[in-house]
Amino acid sequence: MEYGKGELPPYSAVATPDWRRRWSVRRSRSLKFFALACLAFIVYAQWRQIESRPKRSSVSQLSIEKLNEDLRVCSKLRSKPQDPIGPGRDRNARYVDGHKPTLIKNATIWIGEPAEGTSAEDARAGKGFSWINADVFLEYGLIKEVRKGIDASSLSSDTLIWDAKGRQLTSGIIDMHSHAGVDSLPELVGNEDTNEMGSNITPYVRSIDGLNIFDHQIQVIKSGGVTTSLVLPGSSNNIGGEAFVIKHAVGKLDGRNETSIADLLADPDRNWRYIKMACGENSKRTYGLPGEHGPTSRLGESWEFRHAFEQAAKLLQAQDDWCTEAESVGVGQMNIYLPQDLKWETLVAVLRGQVHVNTHCYTVPDLEAFVDHTNEFKFPVRAFHHAHQTFLVPEVLKRAYGDTPPASALFADNMWYKAEAYIGSEYAGKVLYENGLTPIYVSDNPVLNAQHVVFEAAKAFGYGLPYHAALAAVTTAPAERLGLGQRLGKVKPGFDADIVVWDSDPLSVGAAPVQVWIDGTAQFDDPVELKKPFTSPSPIPEVPAITDEAVAVSDVVFTGVSNSFLSPEFRQGSHGRNSTVAISRGKIVCVGVCEAELETASKSGTKIVALQNGYLTRPFTVFGSLLGLNAIDAEQDTDNGGSPDIFSRGIDGLAFETKKLHYAAKYGVTRAISAPKYSGQGTHQGTSVGFRTAAKHALEEGAIFADDVAVHYTMDLSAKRGSTSISNAVNALRHKLLEAVAADASANSTTADPYTEAVFLAKVVNGSLPLAVTVHSADAIAALLKVKKTVDNAITSSRGSGSISLVIIGGAESFLVADELAAADVGVVLSPLLSYRQEWDQRRALTGTPLTNGTAVDKLVAAGVRVAVGIEEDWLVRDVGLLAGIAYENSQGQLSERDALDLVSENVYDILGLDGSDDAREFIVFEGSPLEIGSRVRAVGSGLGEEVTVFV
């Protein structure tokens, strides 16, 4: 039905609708209404949005000058730093006008990169690297030339000529993890500025604001060839704050124009920034308080990180929005300033890629969580520090955000000091390198003495890291990770003139600088140089073979033994440079030609091991450590414990089959003498026990070789915890000893309890047990010598004759009273061998060449004092032979190889009045000298049972 235009349909039409058409009409109308409603809503929403913004007047009411300044900041926010250039510079920005150029002639140089044309694959394998003979010309703080035969007459007349005499020259060593200057030595409360502990998340604090330029350790570190350090805040906080790269040249004596912190900066232009973060135990130990604040767990730590990054990300977005709008409409239209917050500024810069992140992380869960954070918030990590378990999860590191996986900044073999350091490997660097990752070796000064950080790289080489990679691990690798790879770490034209000439191969035991240059200026006016035999560098040493698989055998024969240091009775027959050692039922039966034993072994199928430069030695003995009384240093449940109020026996607290004891035996430490601790590590109180490290329990036959070795007390700074003063501690000891002299001897012999302190002191005064005192200060040692004299006089008056046997443990300053110690026949067990003035009572310790002529061991030996070497921390069980090697290499002929080995074996027994080891059943077979890097333990006779452990 049709209707005229404008007519309404009749009622009848409505009464009989076409349902299909009606539905179509309604749907059309509904859609139109819905569209109009949506449009109205959008218009309303836009109006509300506009109304919600601050009303912008035609001219901003804010400071135009400040707004323009903010706009200029926008370009800085968006910029990403580039590594500063090296080659192409005319002068170093750190160069001090007036410093003369220097020509170093006749050097054997490690350039730091392979020969031109070497492929990346070959370079990683070590091809193309070599020591080269050349001269180096330094001018304007830069390396200008490196080539043979630089003619001095072609240079300016004021050029200084320095003859290297063929010695080895490298770039300055770089320590990528140090607290020098903020954790000053000797440690004092007033100088402690390592951690800002007002809050867990402190990206806003800066190590440079607490750096003590008068920290003598800065000079000590330089004396080890370290020219550059990354000075980090500590690891108590999850986010600890900004770090700074410094050079170790301070003030006018080091060739600088001024004495200031700013003058230490390795890059005065501050192209890159650096930050320290930390995962794991420290933060939750420091800040976790259940019910009040966290983190109390690793779960909480991850939240702390993510929350902090979230705040930074919000600020970053607000800044970017402001900059975009300001550039679009002009700053004159802006009614707020650029959002800025000093608390989060550094972390925002991290997310912008302007800050190099260095993160302390040990364990797999910590590493994996932090890698997740990098991907969630999109920032790279330059290195994981400590990184004990990175060798177990190389693929996790490769998942981290960025173009390059994080490096691992490691110790060579320092572990077991807390739970997160319990799992680790001396082979970590080797494993990481084989997986395409970058190992770097660091000190964490003062945890390790950064003076010897190159020794960490040397040990890494000994554990299988290729020679070129080990040297790179303290030169080129840290330089690249610091973003300074075009300026530091190589001996090339255009690089900073940071140079070290060494007295021996830098990756050898005892290597020390002859001279150090920073920015072209020699750092030592009159350096001490040890008299060492010069040997021309050989081609790059081969990576030492790893012999880690142990088998127990009763019979074995070794050939190729060049040196035997056992008793004379074990030199049967003709004994030359290529001797045989035959072992039967776990006992040495022949040392020499041993034809019959060789023939028998060949016929019977007995294992015959051919050695190159084999060494047969007595086993090592460690005195003064916590071996057998502790498994993880910081964990109470794994520790025997101790207290100033308790006198106890070490034998009663022994615990066997720990990881520490396993490694001790593996590396030739078959015997240990340990006493309960007085308070902390390196302190002693009670009686020490002598035991074999490979024993299964104290009841095993031969497990204990001396129930009570010595009576121990502590007179270092920790003595004040129990006695309130050093003077009171000395007086209390004198009083106890004099009481023991006065006591009736027969009463002691019939006492109901023969294990009291009084009974053991009676044994001290009757001469049957030595008195071992842990002490470092020369003043405290002098006081003890007076106590000894007083007690000896009392003994003579009471009994007609006799004296006490006094032993010093520690002895950092003992060299100052060396003559008096020798006259009193007092032995010294140096622990550590090389003190670096860590505590106030060690502040006069000798740190060695080139700063001092020798160390304590040299002075004591020269004075005729009986000396042994102990270890103050248990992880050093792997390094006992190398410590003896340092004493030997730097003794300038005072010590023979046998003398050096006796420092860690027979001298211990001589000083303590004990019988030595049984040479027939207790011995070590090495391939290579145990005093040198790269030697390998091939067999251990533990003195237990009728088997020896052979490493194949």
Side-chain angles (χ1 to χ4, degrees):
M1 175 181 286
E2 295 183 359
Y3 314 109
K5 186 175 181 179
E7 291 183 357
L8 294 175
Y11 181 78
S12 60
V14 175
T16 56
D18 181 339
W19 290 105
R20 183 183 301 262
R21 176 176 175 82
R22 184 178 179 188
W23 169 245
S24 176
V25 171
R26 285 184 175 180
R27 181 174 61 180
S28 175
R29 289 175 178 173
S30 298
L31 287 173
K32 288 177 182 178
F33 178 79
F34 179 74
L36 287 170
C38 287
L39 181 61
F41 176 77
I42 292 170
V43 170
Y44 174 76
Q46 290 293 324
W47 175 76
R48 290 291 297 172
Q49 187 174 357
I50 292 170
E51 283 294 304
S52 65
R53 293 182 183 176
K55 292 184 179 181
R56 180 179 290 126
S57 60
S58 58
V59 178
S60 174
Q61 300 302 305
L62 303 178
S63 165
I64 295 298
E65 182 181 358
K66 176 67 168 69
L67 289 168
N68 279 319
E69 182 183 328
D70 283 355
L71 187 60
R72 289 191 292 273
V73 171
C74 289
S75 63
K76 293 179 182 178
L77 294 177
R78 291 168 175 162
S79 67
K80 183 169 181 180
Q82 300 296 315
D83 289 1
I85 64 165
R89 294 180 294 166
D90 293 326
R91 58 189 284 149
N92 186 337
R94 286 180 44 87
Y95 172 70
V96 174
D97 286 334
H99 283 216
K100 297 176 180 179
T102 299
L103 176 62
I104 304 173
K105 294 189 67 64
N106 306 317
T108 304
I109 300 169
W110 184 263
I111 299 295
E113 67 182 21
E116 189 175 350
T118 305
S119 69
E121 182 180 358
D122 284 348
R124 190 158 185 88
K127 297 178 181 178
F129 287 90
S130 65
W131 291 95
I132 65 168
N133 297 315
D135 304 334
V136 183
F137 179 55
L138 314 177
E139 188 179 34
Y140 298 124
L142 299 175
I143 300 170
K144 290 288 189 173
E145 287 188 86
V146 182
R147 61 179 175 84
K148 281 188 176 182
I150 297 177
D151 185 1
S153 65
S154 67
L155 306 175
S156 62
S157 59
D158 63 345
T159 299
L160 304 173
I161 311 297
W162 200 91
D163 189 359
K165 301 176 182 176
R167 288 170 294 201
Q168 287 160 289
L169 180 153
T170 69
S171 69
I173 301 302
I174 301 169
D175 184 5
M176 198 174 161
H177 188 133
S178 180
H179 304 293
V182 292
D183 195 351
S184 301
L185 300 183
E187 293 181 347
L188 297 172
V189 172
N191 289 340
E192 166 52 49
D193 290 299
T194 317
N195 297 281
E196 171 47 54
M197 299 174 68
S199 175
N200 180 36
I201 302 298
T202 57
Y204 43 83
V205 303
R206 308 181 303 178
S207 66
I208 197 172
D209 294 327
L211 203 154
N212 174 16
I213 58 176
F214 300 115
D215 179 5
H216 180 66
Q217 184 67 1
I218 292 174
Q219 301 297 328
V220 172
I221 292 168
K222 178 171 60 183
S223 75
V226 178
T227 56
T228 304
S229 295
L230 176 63
V231 178
L232 298 152
S235 55
S236 288
N237 302 16
N238 284 141
I239 300 179
E242 284 200 60
F244 291 80
V245 181
I246 69 165
K247 290 195 180 184
H248 288 257
V250 183
K252 295 186 183 297
L253 291 178
D254 291 350
R256 309 304 301 168
N257 268 348
E258 62 179 68
T259 302
S260 70
I261 300 170
D263 191 61
L264 297 183
L265 295 178
D267 177 17
D269 297 326
R270 305 193 189 194
N271 286 277
W272 284 107
R273 297 165 66 184
Y274 309 88
I275 193 170
K276 168 72 175 297
M277 302 185 188
C279 320
E281 289 185 36
N282 291 1
S283 179
K284 63 178 185 171
R285 285 177 184 266
T286 304
Y287 296 101
L289 191 59
E292 295 191 22
H293 52 75
T296 63
S297 68
R298 284 178 166 84
L299 287 68
E301 288 186 16
S302 275
W303 155 249
E304 295 271 346
F305 279 123
R306 296 178 68 218
H307 180 64
F309 292 137
E310 181 185 47
Q311 303 312 303
K314 287 178 179 178
L315 179 55
L316 183 152
Q317 187 62 58
Q319 289 176 338
D320 286 352
D321 290 346
W322 188 95
C323 291
T324 299
E325 186 174 357
E327 289 167 346
S328 173
V329 303
V331 295
Q333 299 299 309
M334 302 301 292
N335 285 309
I336 61 170
Y337 293 118
L338 173 69
Q340 297 187 72
D341 187 340
L342 197 58
K343 180 176 181 179
W344 300 113
E345 183 276 332
T346 302
L347 213 54
V348 171
V350 167
L351 301 184
R352 293 189 184 279
Q354 298 168 341
V355 182
H356 285 329
V357 176
N358 291 271
T359 304
H360 155 130
C361 270
Y362 286 81
T363 68
V364 172
D366 290 331
L367 293 163
E368 196 153 1
F370 204 86
V371 165
D372 287 347
H373 303 332
T374 72
N375 287 303
E376 181 179 2
F377 293 96
K378 296 183 170 44
F379 64 91
V381 179
R382 300 301 279 186
F384 283 120
H385 290 241
H386 298 298
H388 278 52
Q389 295 179 24
T390 52
F391 78 101
L392 295 171
V393 288
E395 297 309 316
V396 170
L397 269 63
K398 294 175 183 178
R399 292 205 302 265
Y401 180 83
D403 298 331
T404 306
S408 293
L410 307 160
F411 300 136
D413 49 16
N414 184 359
M415 52 194 73
W416 315 324
Y417 46 89
K418 53 182 175 176
E420 62 189 7
Y422 190 61
I423 297 175
S425 172
E426 61 270 47
Y427 304 120
K430 173 181 182 292
V431 173
L432 288 163
Y433 192 77
E434 289 172 349
N435 280 274
L437 297 170
T438 303
I440 291 171
Y441 287 91
V442 298
S443 71
D444 195 10
N445 186 88
V447 172
L448 299 183
N449 180 6
Q451 176 188 8
H452 302 300
V453 71
V454 73
F455 187 48
E456 295 299 293
K459 290 188 289 183
F461 168 61
Y463 295 133
L465 183 65
Y467 184 92
H468 72 285
L471 257 183
V474 287
T475 53
T476 54
E480 289 164 359
R481 293 294 162 149
L482 293 173
L484 298 172
Q486 297 182 58
R487 290 189 176 179
L488 305 177
K490 296 179 183 178
V491 184
K492 290 181 62 179
F495 278 64
D496 287 6
D498 299 343
I499 299 292
V500 185
V501 173
W502 303 87
D503 65 5
S504 50
D505 188 315
L507 296 189
S508 66
V509 170
V514 175
Q515 184 57 277
V516 176
W517 288 262
I518 294 179
D519 302 317
T521 299
Q523 295 297 297
F524 303 112
D525 288 337
D526 189 19
V528 175
E529 182 179 352
L530 299 180
K531 296 172 183 175
K532 292 184 180 180
F534 174 75
T535 55
S536 290
S538 56
I540 295 178
E542 294 292 327
V543 178
I546 304 299
T547 52
D548 215 31
E549 182 181 345
V551 294
V553 299
S554 58
D555 298 343
V556 62
V557 175
F558 292 93
T559 63
V561 176
S562 304
N563 296 274
S564 173
F565 294 94
L566 301 188
S567 302
E569 60 264 30
F570 291 97
R571 296 169 181 251
Q572 301 140 357
S574 61
H575 180 71
R577 299 290 296 173
N578 189 21
S579 296
T580 296
V581 176
I583 298 164
S584 178
R585 299 182 67 182
K587 182 176 180 179
I588 295 176
V589 294
C590 179
V591 178
V593 177
C594 305
E595 291 179 348
E597 287 80 4
L598 268 173
E599 183 178 353
T600 300
S602 298
K603 290 179 179 178
S604 64
T606 296
K607 190 172 190 62
I608 300 175
V609 180
L611 303 176
Q612 297 289 325
N613 189 29
Y615 272 64
L616 177 62
T617 76
R618 289 167 171 161
F620 300 145
T621 299
V622 163
F623 177 47
S625 76
L626 285 176
L627 283 178
L629 299 173
N630 177 284
I632 302 173
D633 298 352
E635 291 290 333
Q636 290 186 0
D637 287 353
T638 74
D639 182 55
N640 174 62
S643 166
D645 302 323
I646 295 172
F647 184 95
S648 62
R649 302 172 72 212
I651 192 171
D652 294 333
L654 275 181
F656 289 89
E657 292 198 308
T658 65
K659 187 180 285 190
K660 289 181 178 181
L661 293 180
H662 165 75
Y663 275 94
K666 175 182 174 181
Y667 281 88
V669 180
T670 68
R671 290 185 172 206
I673 301 170
S674 301
K677 64 186 180 185
Y678 171 81
S679 55
Q681 192 164 14
T683 66
H684 311 92
Q685 182 156 293
T687 65
S688 50
V689 56
F691 64 98
R692 289 184 170 88
T693 58
K696 292 181 173 57
H697 51 75
L699 298 180
E700 182 180 356
E701 185 177 356
I704 309 297
F705 65 83
D707 286 2
D708 299 286
V709 174
V711 176
H712 292 257
Y713 293 97
T714 291
M715 296 289 163
D716 66 8
L717 295 179
S718 61
K720 290 185 280 188
R721 296 180 183 176
S723 298
T724 70
S725 70
I726 299 296
S727 56
N728 186 47
V730 172
N731 184 58
L733 177 60
R734 177 173 49 233
H735 178 71
K736 289 177 181 180
L737 291 168
L738 290 174
E739 279 196 329
V741 174
D744 186 272
S746 61
N748 284 335
S749 64
T750 59
T751 182
D753 183 356
Y755 303 112
T756 65
E757 181 178 9
V759 171
F760 285 116
L761 285 171
K763 293 181 180 181
V764 169
V765 298
N766 70 26
S768 59
L769 280 182
L771 174 68
V773 181
T774 300
V775 59
H776 286 292
S777 165
D779 303 303
I781 294 172
L784 289 169
L785 289 176
K786 291 172 68 176
V787 168
K788 173 176 163 52
K789 185 175 181 179
T790 299
V791 174
D792 287 351
N793 288 339
I795 293 171
T796 301
S797 298
S798 173
R799 305 177 185 180
S801 64
S803 64
I804 63 173
S805 174
L806 177 62
V807 178
I808 300 299
I809 303 176
E813 294 186 356
S814 60
F815 69 95
L816 291 170
V817 288
D819 291 338
E820 291 79 4
L821 289 167
D825 194 26
V826 173
V828 177
V829 180
L830 288 170
S831 179
L833 169 65
L834 301 173
S835 169
Y836 50 107
R837 310 180 180 188
Q838 195 163 9
E839 303 288 347
W840 182 255
D841 57 352
Q842 303 178 40
R843 68 189 184 280
R844 294 174 286 185
L846 298 175
T847 55
T849 182
L851 292 179
T852 67
N853 188 6
T855 61
V857 67
D858 304 304
K859 305 300 183 184
L860 293 171
V861 168
V865 178
R866 293 178 297 158
V867 186
V869 173
I871 61 172
E872 75 282 16
E873 296 185 74
D874 297 346
W875 62 268
L876 286 162
V877 291
R878 295 183 180 90
D879 299 343
V880 171
L882 298 180
L883 295 176
I886 291 170
Y888 169 68
E889 293 291 345
N890 292 341
S891 70
Q892 303 187 87
Q894 278 196 104
L895 298 176
S896 66
E897 284 187 300
R898 179 181 289 276
D899 294 334
L901 289 168
D902 283 348
L903 291 173
V904 291
S905 57
E906 292 309 293
N907 288 12
V908 175
Y909 300 99
D910 178 49
I911 289 171
L912 294 172
L914 294 173
D915 292 332
S917 57
D918 175 6
D919 282 0
R921 292 194 178 276
E922 283 187 274
F923 54 85
I924 311 295
V925 178
F926 289 92
E927 189 155 31
S929 169
L931 305 176
E932 297 176 358
I933 294 291
S935 67
R936 287 285 177 268
V937 174
R938 298 303 304 273
V940 177
S942 67
L944 299 167
E946 296 185 347
E947 291 184 327
V948 298
T949 301
V950 176
F951 295 93
V952 295

